Amino acid sequence: MPAHATTEQHSPDQRTPVRTAAREVLDPAHLRAALRLTSVDATLAAALRCGASVALTLVLAATSGHQDLAGFAALGALTSLYGRFDPYRRRAALLALVGTTMIGSILLTTAVTAAGAPAAVTLGIVALLAGGMTALCQLLRTGAPGATIVVFAAGAGLAGSPAFADLAPRGLAALLGVVVACVVCLAGFLVRPSGPARLAVRRATLAAEAAALAPDDRGAVGRAQDAVVLARTVLADDASHGRTRETALRLADELSGAAGTPADLPSRLSLRATARASLTDGGWGLRAARVTLAAAAAAGLAQVAGFGHPAWAAMGATATLQGTTTQHAVVRALQRALGTVAGALIAWPLLDAHLGFWATAALVVVLQVVTEIVVGRHYGLAMLTITPMALLMTSLGGSGEGIALDRALDTAVGALVGVLAVVLVHARRRPAAPGTGGAAV
């Protein structure tokens, strides 16, 4: 077959990314993948840190006489979900940045709502925050939970009928949660400053051993390579600090012997340097655009349909699009939608029971810890605890009437729109240079 004929055979898919994405989305293998469990480790310590952050924050908010602001304080404490395996200096910088973003999101949406802005404006701001935080998380390579928690915080700012007088109390409550999260998540440096590096090296060593036993398994080899790169990055961070330098160099030698990597470490990557290095990857812009458009569309549909919390639809679309591939996004959509419906059914009687503050707070903490243990293994199962936890947290600041149904409907809309965004939103193509035989992105 002539060369030009081969080009013609493949060019239709190149010119129609929507059709290609649609075929991928409809692949029945996604349903099987949505049911599959994933093996993870070292989740207990991170789960306990998050649980402790939320628990301490709720106790401090309540005992200071501000139970009505406990929900905003607990939202600030969810900053503890970020940087859970990062070395302590990077973790400190990331927590400060995410915490500031969380507080700013609550204040911004509270102020816009207090000013009487139309729903289209407030929901548009939520969508922009979703896209902006997605870009930030991509550039900083934060991993889970990505932009979802910030959208949750932004939606909380829309709750009730706030006045400008509510700005300071809400902001201070969120600040309390952020400060507690930082203290809890960084306290380990005083006891075991090289803890994150030890964990990263152990993971890399185990991954390298698994890859050596199955050299033809491309997945195992890829996971080992990623784990080794991550471990060397963590060790480089520790090696640049006097207190952890000696341990980092020793661990680097151990990793070199186990994985066959060079003993010398790369330069330390600060958050700014990480973002600068990530700018060369154009994928972050496409993902941010997808999230912004999907969040706006989902929130708009939920608003037109009369659902009570359209910002939750934006959050559903954002969570779906945290998937790194088409399959990942579809699997997350299935897991989030079905898991949220089941989780809402669990939350419904709990909300109708009108539990007191302390009982509700205790349930929130327990559900948060269980969520962090389960979420890495199966996102859909985690939604069984995430949904009641989020709804109970929302009820701390006001009425819980009807929010379970709203959560289920809004999340379903968000997940559907997120999948449609994967199909419809692609990088713009421009004509290729003459003689290249196809289109270029």
Side-chain angles (χ1 to χ4, degrees):
M1 180 180 293
H4 67 82
T6 303
T7 302
E8 277 301 311
Q9 182 178 359
H10 291 286
S11 60
D13 275 354
Q14 295 174 349
R15 291 195 299 266
T16 57
V18 171
R19 187 179 304 171
T20 302
R23 282 200 296 269
E24 292 178 7
V25 163
L26 296 174
D27 187 343
H30 298 328
L31 183 57
R32 295 192 296 272
L35 300 174
R36 191 177 302 131
L37 290 173
T38 303
S39 176
V40 295
D41 64 350
T43 57
L44 182 59
L48 292 177
R49 285 197 300 268
C50 185
S53 301
V54 174
L56 287 173
T57 299
L58 290 174
V59 169
L60 290 173
T63 55
S64 64
H66 297 288
Q67 290 187 2
D68 57 319
L69 296 170
F72 292 98
L75 274 172
L78 293 183
T79 302
S80 57
L81 295 173
Y82 293 83
R84 63 191 75 184
F85 301 122
D86 285 352
Y88 283 108
R89 281 193 297 165
R90 179 183 173 86
R91 186 184 299 179
L94 182 60
L95 291 176
L97 179 59
V98 171
T100 301
T101 306
M102 295 272 283
I103 297 169
S105 298
I106 292 172
L107 292 177
L108 177 58
T109 52
T110 297
V112 172
T113 305
V121 173
T122 57
L123 295 177
I125 289 174
V126 171
L128 289 173
L129 287 171
M133 190 62 186
T134 297
L136 183 64
C137 290
Q138 281 287 106
L139 292 174
L140 298 181
R141 304 171 192 172
T142 65
T148 308
I149 303 301
V150 172
V151 180
F152 188 19
L158 306 178
S161 301
F164 287 110
D166 294 315
L167 282 170
R170 288 184 173 189
L172 289 173
L175 176 61
L176 169 67
V178 171
V179 170
V180 170
C182 290
V183 171
V184 170
C185 292
L186 299 175
F189 183 78
L190 301 176
V191 181
R192 203 180 191 198
S194 298
R198 295 176 187 274
L199 175 60
V201 170
R202 179 167 68 86
R203 283 176 157 177
T205 301
L206 292 175
E209 291 174 352
L213 293 175
D216 296 329
D217 186 343
R218 296 178 61 184
V221 172
R223 287 190 294 272
Q225 292 172 341
D226 291 343
V228 169
V229 170
L230 177 60
R232 286 174 55 79
T233 302
V234 173
L235 289 171
D237 199 287
D238 273 13
S240 65
H241 189 271
R243 185 173 178 183
T244 52
R245 177 175 174 78
E246 183 177 348
T247 302
L249 295 178
R250 178 173 57 79
L251 290 172
D253 288 336
E254 292 180 10
L255 181 63
S256 176
T261 60
D264 57 312
L265 295 171
S267 301
R268 175 179 182 259
L269 273 179
S270 64
L271 288 183
R272 181 178 298 179
T274 301
R276 191 181 301 118
S278 300
L279 282 172
T280 57
D281 176 16
W284 66 269
L286 174 60
R287 290 187 65 185
R290 272 181 176 162
V291 168
T292 302
L293 294 172
L301 286 174
Q303 178 70 21
V304 171
F307 299 161
H309 296 76
W312 288 349
M315 183 170 63
T318 301
T320 297
L321 291 170
Q322 299 308 298
T324 53
T325 63
T326 299
Q327 182 191 42
H328 195 185
V330 175
V331 168
R332 284 180 69 93
L334 290 170
Q335 292 175 336
R336 187 170 183 89
L338 298 177
T340 297
V341 171
L345 292 175
I346 295 172
W348 208 316
L350 296 175
L351 294 167
D352 285 347
H354 300 291
L355 303 172
F357 176 85
W358 292 110
T360 301
L363 271 175
V364 167
V365 173
V366 171
L367 290 170
Q368 183 65 62
V369 173
V370 174
T371 293
E372 294 311 304
I373 293 174
V374 174
V375 69
R377 294 170 171 82
H378 195 281
Y379 186 62
L381 289 178
M383 294 308 301
L384 300 180
T385 54
I386 290 175
T387 302
M389 181 272 296
L391 293 176
L392 289 169
M393 187 183 293
T394 301
S395 73
L396 290 173
S399 172
E401 296 294 333
I403 59 176
L405 179 60
D406 283 342
R407 182 78 172 196
L409 293 174
D410 287 321
T411 299
V413 169
L416 176 60
V417 173
V419 172
L420 288 176
V422 171
V423 174
L424 298 176
V425 182
H426 299 274
R428 186 177 67 179
R429 292 174 175 268
R430 57 179 174 78
T436 58
V441 177

